[in-house]
Amino acid sequence: IDWHAYDMTVVAAVHSGTEALDAIGKYRPDIVVTDIRMPGCDGLEMIKQAKEINPETEFIIISGYRHFEYARNAIRYGVKDYLLKPIRKSELSETLSRMREEFLERNKRLSSEELFRITMKKNLDRLRAAFFTEILFKKGAESDSMSIRSINEEYHYNFSEGLFSIVLLKTDGISPTASLDISYIQDKILPAVNKRLQDSCYELESIFEGSMCYIILNFNEENRKNVRRSLKSLLDELLLQKEIFEGMKVTMGIGTIYSGIGGIFDSMRNARYAVEQRIFLGVNRLIEGGRDRKSDFAESELFTRFNTMLTEGVERLNEQQITIAIS
């Protein structure tokens, strides 16, 4: 790592948990990169004690441990990232870059230029996300008058004539009340989407709504196969996280590819249909929605009965009713 490129300086390199605690007390570092298994005390115990010494210190764990309890405890202690060995340089670099920006903003060490850049990026992100909430998520917004030019001007996209598709990533098995876990998963998914797909697309954007990540892709015919390979690679990368989070499941629903931005509404329906099919086809896989398939399962009598019974069972904490609903 070129630490100077991140405006960072290595103040100490130590080889045990005990030495790390001494160094943290002496140097009060902003960031500590640590393994879990080491002499003196393990990484998790070191982090717990270090937070008592200096609550402001942030931690990145690099470990071969894929077990749920390690990750859960690490996140509980406020670890910024949990990187599995063998790690890629780009993965650690992305984490350091993100942490640098957070530190600059939090500590008010921003120059006027840096502050303006970060503010503009946040405003731009909100504007682009509005395309989903104002257009894509509202069936009534579907219109023949919608054009690439008008969307680019209003929502600051760079769409081009070519192919369009919607992809949905659905995570299951993470409790809605586990906000730290959900935030961690989202911080993993969004950078992975950009890293895997941006080189093959004219434009892409992704946002989270609950446990669903919505991705819009715009690319040319020559990159169709590259996009497909990149989506499979993305899914493989995300499935590594299920070894950290016990019970987590990931499903990728791919909407039909259309030539023209007007096809995104049908592509969205196809992708939703594909995600719904995980109930029958299984999870931790890629499922494609067909052009002629209708997303009617959610409106079916079977799903209505299931949803009503399951909701009542959860509200009443009635295990018997929940069991009957899912069986």
Side-chain angles (χ1 to χ4, degrees):
I1 295 295
D2 180 3
W3 296 102
H4 293 294
Y6 299 96
D7 297 325
M8 298 178 185
T9 302
V10 177
V11 294
V14 298
H15 306 284
S16 73
T18 304
E19 292 177 17
L21 289 171
D22 291 340
I24 289 168
K26 179 179 180 180
Y27 297 105
R28 316 290 285 191
D30 294 307
I31 300 173
V32 173
V33 183
T34 180
D35 206 329
I36 286 184
R37 192 173 186 179
M38 54 186 177
C41 64
D42 69 19
L44 296 183
E45 180 60 31
M46 184 271 289
I47 291 170
K48 182 179 179 181
Q49 294 185 39
K51 282 291 188 180
E52 296 174 359
I53 297 172
N54 184 23
E56 299 302 317
T57 298
E58 302 285 7
F59 292 87
I60 302 171
I61 286 182
I62 298 174
S63 176
Y65 287 93
R66 301 172 184 266
H67 300 304
F68 168 73
E69 285 304 321
Y70 286 104
R72 170 57 66 85
N73 287 331
I75 293 169
R76 186 180 299 132
Y77 296 151
V79 168
K80 279 292 182 181
D81 214 339
Y82 190 107
L83 307 179
L84 294 174
K85 296 178 181 178
I87 68 165
R88 293 182 296 274
K89 179 181 177 180
S90 61
E91 192 173 14
L92 179 56
S93 297
E94 289 166 6
T95 298
L96 291 171
S97 180
R98 184 174 69 250
M99 293 179 72
R100 173 187 178 276
E101 194 163 286
E102 290 174 358
F103 272 111
L104 286 172
E105 189 172 12
R106 188 182 71 187
N107 295 334
K108 307 299 181 183
R109 295 196 300 258
L110 293 170
S111 66
S112 59
E113 293 81 6
E114 287 175 317
L115 179 60
F116 178 76
R117 179 180 58 81
I118 291 174
T119 301
M120 287 298 294
K121 184 180 185 304
K122 287 183 176 180
N123 290 339
L124 183 61
D125 289 344
R126 283 194 287 266
L127 191 60
R128 288 166 64 96
F131 175 72
F132 288 81
T133 57
E134 296 176 4
I135 301 294
L136 202 56
F137 295 164
K138 291 186 178 179
K139 295 180 181 179
E142 187 172 351
S143 171
D144 294 335
S145 62
M146 185 179 71
S147 68
I148 288 177
R149 181 179 177 180
S150 64
I151 291 172
N152 287 346
E153 289 179 352
E154 187 170 354
Y155 297 100
H156 284 246
Y157 278 88
N158 291 298
F159 290 131
S160 297
E161 295 293 344
L163 305 179
F164 290 83
S165 179
I166 302 293
V167 176
L168 303 186
L169 282 169
K170 178 70 170 69
T171 58
D172 294 302
I174 301 294
S175 170
T177 60
S179 57
L180 286 174
D181 292 357
I182 294 172
S183 177
Y184 178 90
I185 292 298
Q186 292 182 0
D187 286 345
K188 280 289 188 180
I189 289 179
L190 295 179
V193 169
N194 290 326
K195 179 177 64 179
R196 295 289 181 181
L197 292 162
Q198 63 184 359
D199 290 341
S200 300
C201 296
Y202 292 133
E203 181 66 285
L204 72 90
E205 186 60 271
S206 53
I207 69 167
F208 263 94
E209 282 284 318
S211 61
M212 188 88 80
C213 180
Y214 293 81
I215 308 168
I216 183 169
L217 304 176
N218 170 215
F219 51 96
N220 59 29
E221 180 64 41
E222 289 73 19
N223 275 323
R224 183 191 286 257
K225 291 183 178 179
N226 290 336
V227 168
R228 170 74 184 203
R229 283 193 292 266
S230 297
L231 288 172
K232 181 63 171 64
S233 179
L234 170 63
L235 180 62
D236 290 341
E237 180 176 346
L238 297 180
L239 287 177
L240 290 175
Q241 300 304 314
K242 72 183 180 65
E243 299 186 43
I244 294 178
F245 289 93
E246 187 178 58
M248 190 187 89
K249 304 169 183 65
V250 181
T251 305
M252 177 181 289
I254 301 181
T256 304
I257 298 172
Y258 288 89
S259 58
I261 196 166
I264 60 173
F265 299 101
D266 286 335
S267 187
M268 169 75 88
R269 284 191 284 267
N270 298 154
R272 282 176 172 164
Y273 175 89
V275 168
E276 289 167 2
Q277 299 312 298
R278 75 192 188 285
I279 297 174
F280 308 107
L281 301 178
V283 293
N284 298 329
R285 59 180 296 172
L286 182 155
I287 304 174
E288 295 190 57
R291 181 182 292 269
D292 298 323
R293 291 172 176 170
K294 293 183 178 180
S295 183
D296 55 1
F297 175 69
E299 286 80 32
S300 67
E301 184 180 351
L302 172 63
F303 183 79
T304 300
R305 290 201 307 269
F306 160 77
N307 193 45
T308 301
M309 184 173 290
L310 183 63
T311 301
E312 291 178 353
V314 170
E315 289 176 349
R316 299 172 182 175
L317 298 180
N318 187 323
E319 293 184 15
Q320 183 179 5
Q321 188 168 349
I322 294 172
T323 302
I324 293 173
I326 63 178
S327 61

